[in-house]
Amino acid sequence: MTILELIQAECRAKGINEKYAEKIQKIFKIEKEDGIGTYVSMFKDNLLSDIETAEKTKADAEKAAREAAIAEYEKAHNLKDGKPIEEGDAPEDKFKGLDPAIRQLIENQNKQLDDMKKLIEGNQKTIATTEKATKAKSLVSDAKLPESWLDRVNLDSEISLEDQVKALGDEYIKIQQTAIDEKVANGEYHVGSFQPKDRSEADWAKLMDSDVTPNNPGTVDLGLK
């Protein structure tokens, strides 16, 4: 038998719950079979009562905390025993008759749980926002949009980041096309990306009479001989 099994057997013999066997081994650092009976007796006479009291107090506090949480939920939703409260009924005070120390413990535990929940939710939101911001920046860069347009992406919108950036891309192309159209209309931009050379009437006449088609911007070889 192992040392733990021997301690368990001694616990049974002395009327102690076997669940404490491992605790006894750790408390007294039992590594050998010798003296196990003495150690178990010492545990029973000096520690067991306090441990059982602490466990009962903890169990009572946890039960009261659960009941208080249920009561708080039912109060917030106007329920009693899971059912809507009829007019004139008053919700039962789950703290009534509870030891003030335990009541304070429950309230402190509830506050710690609320604080922890808020912290976790805050961290999760921060992580999600950071991930969205990184993805949005990448999408804007891939779409070759101005970096400043990143501010126009709404990270909290129900519209996906991809759809938002696509709409911005369409808008950017439209702006560019409008600018080109205006330049063409104003004579500032010419198809072929060159500026025709200004020529006088005499120059044009000379070019038309010439047998050589010069390789100059602004002239076109029509193939006429």
Side-chain angles (χ1 to χ4, degrees), residues 173-188:
I173 291 174
K174 184 177 180 181
I175 291 174
Q176 289 181 315
Q177 186 60 54
T178 300
I180 292 173
D181 291 344
E182 290 178 353
K183 286 182 177 293
V184 171
N186 294 332
E188 302 175 21

Side-chain angles (χ1 to χ4, degrees), residues 13-72:
K14 289 182 166 54
I16 301 174
N17 194 315
E18 293 180 33
K19 69 178 184 179
Y20 296 117
E22 189 172 350
K23 185 182 292 294
I24 293 172
Q25 185 178 18
K26 290 181 179 179
I27 291 175
F28 297 104
K29 299 180 180 179
I30 303 174
E31 298 179 355
K32 298 180 180 180
E33 182 177 349
D34 297 341
I36 287 181
T38 301
Y39 290 132
V40 173
S41 296
M42 290 174 62
F43 176 81
K44 180 178 181 179
D45 296 339
N46 299 284
L47 301 174
L48 182 59
S49 178
D50 291 338
I51 291 175
E52 288 178 337
T53 299
E55 289 178 342
K56 185 177 184 305
T57 300
K58 180 181 178 182
D60 290 343
E62 290 176 348
K63 179 181 178 182
R66 288 194 298 270
E67 292 177 348
I70 293 173
E72 187 67 23

Side-chain angles (χ1 to χ4, degrees), residues 61-117:
E62 290 176 348
K63 179 181 178 182
R66 288 194 298 270
E67 292 177 348
I70 293 173
E72 187 67 23
Y73 177 83
E74 290 187 336
K75 180 180 178 181
H77 295 81
N78 198 33
L79 300 173
K80 182 178 181 181
D81 298 329
K83 300 178 181 179
I85 297 177
E86 298 292 339
E87 188 176 352
D89 289 345
E92 180 182 356
D93 183 6
K94 295 293 184 179
F95 287 116
K96 186 177 180 180
L98 194 64
D99 185 279
I102 295 180
R103 179 170 183 163
Q104 183 63 45
L105 176 62
I106 294 172
E107 292 176 349
N108 291 339
Q109 287 180 335
N110 288 339
K111 185 178 184 304
Q112 290 176 355
L113 289 174
D114 289 339
D115 292 342
M116 184 176 295
K117 181 180 178 182

